Amino acid sequence: MNTSITQSVSWTKLKAHYQNIQSIHLRELFAQDNQRFENFSLESCGLLLDYSKNRLTHETLQLLLQFATDVKLKEWINRLFQGEIINDTEKRAALHIALRNQSNTPILVNGKDVMPGVNSVLGKMHTLVNKIHEGKWLGHTGKAIDTIVNIGIGGSDLGPLMVTQALKNYHHPCLSIFFVSNVDSAQLTQILKEVNPETTLFIIASKTFTTQETMLNANSARAWLINKLGDEQAIAKHFIAISTAAKQVEQFGIDPANMFEFWDWVGGRYSLWSAIGLPIAITIGMDNFNQLLAGAHALDNHFKTAPFEQNMPVLMGLIGVWYVNFFAAKTHTVLPYDFALKYFPDYLQQLVMESLGKQTTRDNQPVDYATCPITWGALGNNGQHAFYQLLHQGTQLVPADFIIAIDSQHALPDHQDAVLSNALAQTLALMVGRNAEETRQAGVDEAILPHRVFPGNQPTNTLVYQKLTPEILGTLIALYEHKTFVQSVCWHINPFDQWGVELGKQVASTLLPELTGQYAGGKYDASTDGLLAYIKKRRSFKK
Ligand code: F6P
C-alpha cells in the first residue's frame, strides 16, 4: 500500500504553517525584511527570478524544500537525466534533455547511447537548412523554395509556432513561414491562397503520422499541389516529413530521404528541440537554432546541479505547489511583457496542462489532493486592459508570472520605458493594493469608496532577461519544462503521457460515419442524437 504525499511530515507541517501565514499581507512581509528582494531572488543562465512578492517566509521555503526531499526530487531529477523509463504508462524514457545535450556526453536508453542519432539528425537538418538558404533546394519547376508551410498540431505546432514568432527578428529575409494546425478548412484555404505552389515546401510534422487533423490537412495540401503543378512527382520536391513513423510516411508518398526522424522518448510537447524544430531552424538558421539548444542546455545543467534553494525550476515548482495545495489556487497565469512572446502562454498551456492535468498517481491510486492549476495568460500589456480587473479586485487568488525584457528587440524610442513601467507597476499594485484609508486620502468620493479599494496581496514571480535572444528563449522554455517536471514529482504523477486526449479522438472517429453516411439515430444520448439530426438536416454540403 503506497501512502499519499499528504501523509508526509512536511505536508502536515506545511498545512499547519499555512494557518499561520494565510492572513499575513505581503506588505507586512516586506515591512519585516528590508532585504526581502536580496533574500528571495536569484540569477542564473541570463535570467533573474524575483520571487519576493510571494506569500511565503524563510520557514515556508524550508518546509517546501523538506517536502522536495520527502518526495525524492533529487532522485527523480537523476532518473530523468539518466534516461530511465520514467514515462511508465508508455514504457519510455523522457529525454528532451538529450536533444540539447551540447556537451555530447553519452546518454543511454536501454544501454544504447542516443547521442549519435541526435547528432546525425541535427547534421541532416543543417544540410537542408543550408540548401534552402543558398537557394539550392529547388521545387518541381526548378524555382528555389521561399515559403515553408508547417502542418502539425499540439506539440508538432505550438512549439515551432511560438519560437518562430518570438524570434522574428532573426528570420532569414527571403523566407516566409506559415503554420496550419486547425482541421477547419478555413486556415489551410487561407494560406493556400497566399502561397506559390512552385516555391512552397510543406513540412508534415507528426510524431505518430496518424493525427486526424494533420493527416487531413496534409492530404488536402498534397491534392492542391498536384492539381497546381499537374504532376504527382512534384511531391518529392515539395513535401518533407518529421515523424517517428517511417512506414506511415512512406505510405503517404514522401520519399524516406525527405523524412527527419525523432524518437519515442521525445514527448510531443517536449519536441521543439528535435527535428520538429526544423521550421525554426529553417527560418532562423542553424547557428541560431543551436543557440536555442545551448540556452536550454545551460538551464538543464542548472537544474541538475544547483542546490534546491538556488534552483530556479525547483523554487518555481514548489511555490506553485504551495498555492495549489495550501491556498487552493485554481489557476496560474503567465504574463509576458515582450510582444515576441505572444504565443508563449498558448505553448505553456499544452506543456503544463497536458503534462500535469492528471488524477491518478504513479502507483495507480486516485490523488487525494489538487494537481495542475488551470494555466493561462496573454501579453501583459493587453491583459491590463482586458482581464486584469479580476486580478486586482476579483475574488480569486491568481498567482502570476511576469516575464520582462529589459531591452526590446526593436528600436522605437519611448516604447520600452512604457513597457517596463507598466510591468513593474502591475506587480507593485497587485502586491500592495490600496486600503480604505489610502483611498480616502486619495480624495475618492465616500459613496463609492468600497469600489475603489484594492486588496492587493496577489502573489507574483518576476522573470527578467536582458533581451530575447535564441539562447534566452531556450533557457526560458527549459525553465518551464523543468518546473513542470518538479510539480509532477511533488504530485507523484507521470507528466509524459496524455491518455486524457484519447477518448475524444476515439469518439470523434465513431461519430464521423454518422455524419457522412446514413444514421437513423438511437445510438447515443438524446442531446448528441438531437444535435446530429439537427446538423445533418441543415448541412448545405451533402456527400
Ligand atoms: O492529442 C494530443 C497529442 O497527442 C499531443 O500530445 C501531440 O503533441 C499532438 O496530439 C500531435 O500529435 P502528433 O505529433 O502525433 O501528430
Side-chain angles (χ1 to χ4, degrees):
M1 176 71 194
N2 296 291
T3 50
S4 163
I5 56 166
T6 57
Q7 305 303 311
S8 67
V9 176
S10 51
W11 185 281
T12 312
K13 285 188 179 169
L14 278 162
K15 236 171 131 181
H17 175 66
Y18 167 72
Q19 297 304 326
N20 300 332
I21 211 174
Q22 59 166 321
S23 53
I24 299 179
H25 200 284
L26 274 164
R27 282 184 185 209
E28 291 174 54
L29 296 177
F30 274 89
Q32 284 162 15
D33 178 6
N34 59 11
Q35 297 284 298
R36 195 168 163 88
F37 174 73
E38 288 75 10
N39 287 336
F40 295 100
S41 65
L42 78 145
E43 218 183 333
S44 187
C45 309
L47 290 177
L48 169 81
L49 168 66
D50 170 18
Y51 60 101
S52 61
K53 291 192 185 86
N54 276 295
R55 294 171 66 175
L56 50 79
T57 62
H58 288 288
E59 187 185 352
T60 322
L61 268 192
Q62 284 318 312
L63 291 173
L64 286 170
L65 291 168
Q66 182 56 49
F67 178 60
T69 306
D70 290 352
V71 295
K72 301 199 174 2
L73 180 57
K74 188 75 208 156
E75 288 86 334
W76 277 102
I77 294 173
N78 290 338
R79 296 180 73 188
L80 171 78
F81 279 87
Q82 282 160 8
E84 282 192 33
I85 310 297
I86 56 174
N87 175 358
D88 40 22
T89 61
E90 295 182 311
K91 303 210 172 358
R92 294 171 182 166
L95 269 182
H96 37 291
I97 55 111
L99 301 167
R100 59 228 191 185
N101 174 25
Q102 301 218 323
S103 41
N104 208 21
T105 46
I107 297 179
L108 308 183
V109 173
N110 297 324
K112 194 172 165 241
D113 184 10
V114 299
M115 289 315 298
V118 168
N119 293 329
S120 145
V121 173
L122 281 170
K124 191 172 166 186
M125 287 167 70
H126 202 156
T127 307
L128 176 84
V129 170
N130 284 351
K131 229 170 155 181
I132 293 175
H133 284 197
E134 289 162 10
K136 290 183 183 155
W137 181 291
L138 303 180
H140 187 61
T141 59
K143 293 190 179 162
I145 293 299
D146 63 10
T147 304
I148 307 296
V149 177
N150 189 77
I151 298 181
I153 198 165
S156 302
D157 169 69
L158 288 163
L161 171 69
M162 182 270 286
V163 174
T164 48
Q165 164 74 26
L167 299 177
K168 264 195 169 161
N169 225 18
Y170 294 80
H171 279 203
H172 189 284
C174 307
L175 286 172
S176 307
I177 177 125
F178 297 89
F179 288 87
V180 181
S181 54
N182 203 294
V183 76
D184 182 328
S185 59
Q187 194 183 19
L188 181 62
T189 306
Q190 181 61 40
I191 289 168
L192 293 182
K193 272 188 203 157
E194 290 182 47
V195 303
N196 176 356
E198 291 181 276
T199 58
T200 297
L201 180 66
F202 291 92
I203 298 179
I204 313 303
S206 176
K207 181 172 171 177
T208 55
F209 231 71
T210 55
T211 304
Q212 187 211 36
E213 293 90 335
T214 301
M215 296 328 296
L216 200 49
N217 280 324
N219 279 312
S220 297
R222 186 179 186 275
W224 173 84
L225 189 95
I226 294 171
N227 177 265
K228 291 282 176 190
L229 299 184
D231 187 353
E232 196 153 336
Q233 301 299 316
I235 297 301
K237 299 279 174 57
H238 293 270
F239 276 78
I240 62 175
I242 305 166
S243 188
T244 57
K247 222 159 124 199
Q248 282 87 338
V249 170
E250 213 170 333
Q251 275 162 9
F252 181 86
I254 293 179
D255 183 347
N258 289 342
M259 173 180 153
F260 290 76
E261 67 163 332
F262 63 112
W263 307 272
D264 68 359
W265 43 262
V266 182
R269 54 197 173 274
Y270 300 88
S271 65
L272 71 89
W273 323 99
S274 70
I276 289 288
L278 192 55
I280 305 172
I282 294 173
T283 45
I284 67 172
M286 206 61 196
D287 287 349
N288 285 322
F289 186 72
N290 281 327
Q291 286 300 308
L292 184 82
L293 301 184
H297 184 52
L299 203 285
D300 292 342
N301 285 334
H302 166 81
F303 183 47
K304 197 164 65 169
T305 58
F308 282 176
E309 60 276 15
Q310 287 160 34
N311 194 311
M312 242 182 239
V314 170
L315 290 171
M316 285 175 69
L318 291 174
I319 293 169
V321 167
W322 175 230
Y323 291 125
V324 169
N325 297 115
F326 299 93
F327 282 80
K330 298 277 183 284
T331 87
H332 178 85
T333 186
V334 179
L335 306 165
Y337 278 75
D338 186 338
F339 184 77
L341 294 177
K342 186 177 167 195
Y343 292 119
F344 195 59
D346 304 64
Y347 160 80
L348 277 185
Q349 288 198 311
Q350 187 197 13
L351 172 66
V352 177
M353 294 200 277
E354 203 167 71
S355 298
L356 300 174
K358 315 272 164 80
Q359 53 177 237
T360 306
T361 69
R362 283 182 177 276
D363 305 316
N364 295 334
Q365 301 299 315
V367 292
D368 58 356
Y369 42 86
T371 59
C372 189
I374 295 162
T375 303
W376 60 287
L379 287 172
N381 201 251
N382 298 65
Q384 283 174 216
H385 299 274
F387 56 80
Y388 274 38
Q389 165 63 33
L390 179 143
L391 305 186
H392 286 289
Q393 291 187 312
T395 54
Q396 309 255 354
L397 178 82
V398 187
D401 291 352
F402 279 67
I403 304 180
I404 302 175
I406 296 173
D407 296 324
S408 165
Q409 294 186 64
H410 307 279
L412 282 185
D414 304 333
H415 287 253
Q416 194 59 11
D417 290 337
V419 170
L420 291 170
S421 61
N422 270 292
L424 297 181
Q426 289 297 330
T427 63
L428 172 61
L430 286 167
M431 190 264 276
V432 295
R434 187 173 70 180
N435 63 28
E437 196 39 46
E438 289 160 342
T439 306
R440 203 165 279 124
Q441 276 168 19
V444 169
D445 180 355
E446 201 66 31
I448 59 159
L449 194 89
H451 298 277
R452 305 289 303 273
V453 166
F454 299 83
N457 219 14
Q458 282 282 21
T460 58
N461 286 314
T462 304
L463 279 165
V464 186
Y465 50 84
Q466 189 71 42
K467 190 182 198 169
L468 198 72
T469 59
E471 192 176 1
I472 282 295
L473 184 59
T475 303
L476 189 65
I477 300 167
L479 171 62
Y480 278 92
E481 283 181 349
H482 291 320
K483 177 200 163 183
T484 302
F485 182 69
V486 168
Q487 296 194 325
S488 78
V489 174
C490 292
W491 291 323
H492 200 43
I493 54 182
N494 177 3
F496 300 116
D497 61 13
Q498 56 285 315
W499 298 108
V501 295
E502 292 302 320
L503 182 61
K505 287 187 194 175
Q506 280 162 21
V507 179
S509 65
T510 315
L511 280 176
L512 189 62
E514 328 292 19
L515 269 167
T516 52
Q518 295 297 317
Y519 175 57
K523 206 164 151 188
Y524 305 100
D525 60 277
S527 164
T528 308
D529 270 342
L531 288 167
L532 271 170
Y534 185 90
I535 291 165
K536 277 177 78 104
K537 202 168 153 198
R538 286 163 182 77
R539 281 199 79 187
S540 49
F541 177 74
K542 292 199 172 82
K543 284 206 173 176

